[in-house]
Amino acid sequence: MTGPQVVLVGPMGVGKSTVGELLAERLGCAYRDTDADIVEAEGRSISEIFVEAGEPYFRDLEREAVRAALAEHTGVLSLGGGAVLDEGTRAALAGQPVVYLSMNVGEALKRVGLNTARPLLAVNPRQQWKLLMEARRPLYTEVAGAVVATDDRTPEEVAQAVLDALELKEA
Ligand code: S3P
């Protein structure tokens, strides 16, 4: 089967990009990120898309970006934290090597709590985080074949755990 070797899902700030780039290096393949694909295609930032066009518009773009990346990309792929909210996206992930990178709330606030560049956490980060994760945790778990906890682990350790979980060999 063609398609990505690894698909990373999980909440914003969990380290999908950092770990994804490390994985791509270790597997000797390319890294791709659907957020970056959307920014490039739209010529504006994710925050601008949310503010100017609204979240539903962003989710439509994201569903198409995920479909395109799954069809074209054979390396490591990271999805935006909310991609799993879309039913069509979840269906497209069936049979893919999806790994959910998880973290607890304390770790999340340390990493993203004060970062207002992330529009969904701009106001009352702790409360927003809890609500987000209550809605999303079951969806991450549904699409993923493996869960890798990132709390108290370095990006290198997380990357190793992902390789182990998928039984992937380094290039
Ligand atoms: C979002 C996560 C972001 C980005 C957008 C919405 C979310 O991606 O797609 O801001 O709904 O969780 P990252 O997970 O890469 O930060």
Side-chain angles (χ1 to χ4, degrees):
M1 186 177 103
T2 55
Q5 297 192 58
V6 184
V7 181
L8 296 177
V9 300
M12 59 189 91
V14 77
K16 297 182 295 281
S17 309
T18 307
V19 170
E21 278 166 13
L22 277 175
L23 281 168
E25 214 170 275
R26 290 182 60 174
L27 290 166
C29 64
Y31 173 72
R32 181 162 166 173
D33 175 333
T34 55
D35 278 344
D37 291 347
I38 293 167
V39 168
E40 197 187 329
E42 285 280 299
R44 51 183 171 165
S45 72
I46 305 271
S47 294
E48 282 165 347
I49 300 170
F50 264 72
V51 170
E52 293 166 9
E55 183 172 347
Y57 177 79
F58 174 76
R59 296 298 172 206
D60 287 346
L61 295 178
E62 187 171 46
R63 181 174 53 250
E64 291 317 310
V66 172
R67 281 198 186 136
L70 290 174
E72 295 162 7
H73 188 61
T74 55
V76 176
L77 179 67
S78 291
L79 308 189
V84 295
L85 293 171
D86 185 88
E87 201 182 334
T89 299
R90 295 202 299 281
L93 290 172
Q96 299 285 343
V98 181
V99 177
Y100 165 27
L101 299 185
S102 71
M103 65 180 160
N104 63 36
V105 62
E107 188 80 23
L109 290 175
K110 252 194 285 174
R111 295 193 202 176
V112 296
L114 299 174
N115 181 354
T116 51
R118 289 192 155 91
L120 295 177
L121 289 187
V123 180
N124 196 351
R126 177 177 284 273
Q127 175 72 4
Q128 287 306 318
W129 184 264
K130 286 190 169 164
L131 288 173
L132 274 182
M133 287 309 293
E134 273 165 29
R136 295 180 179 187
R137 195 175 290 112
L139 305 177
Y140 292 134
T141 308
E142 178 190 322
V143 298
V147 183
V148 169
T150 65
D151 311 286
D152 302 321
R153 278 175 158 170
T154 65
E156 288 76 13
E157 288 168 336
V158 175
Q160 184 60 53
V162 171
L163 293 175
D164 293 345
L166 294 176
E167 297 181 2
L168 288 168
K169 297 266 171 285
E170 289 188 55

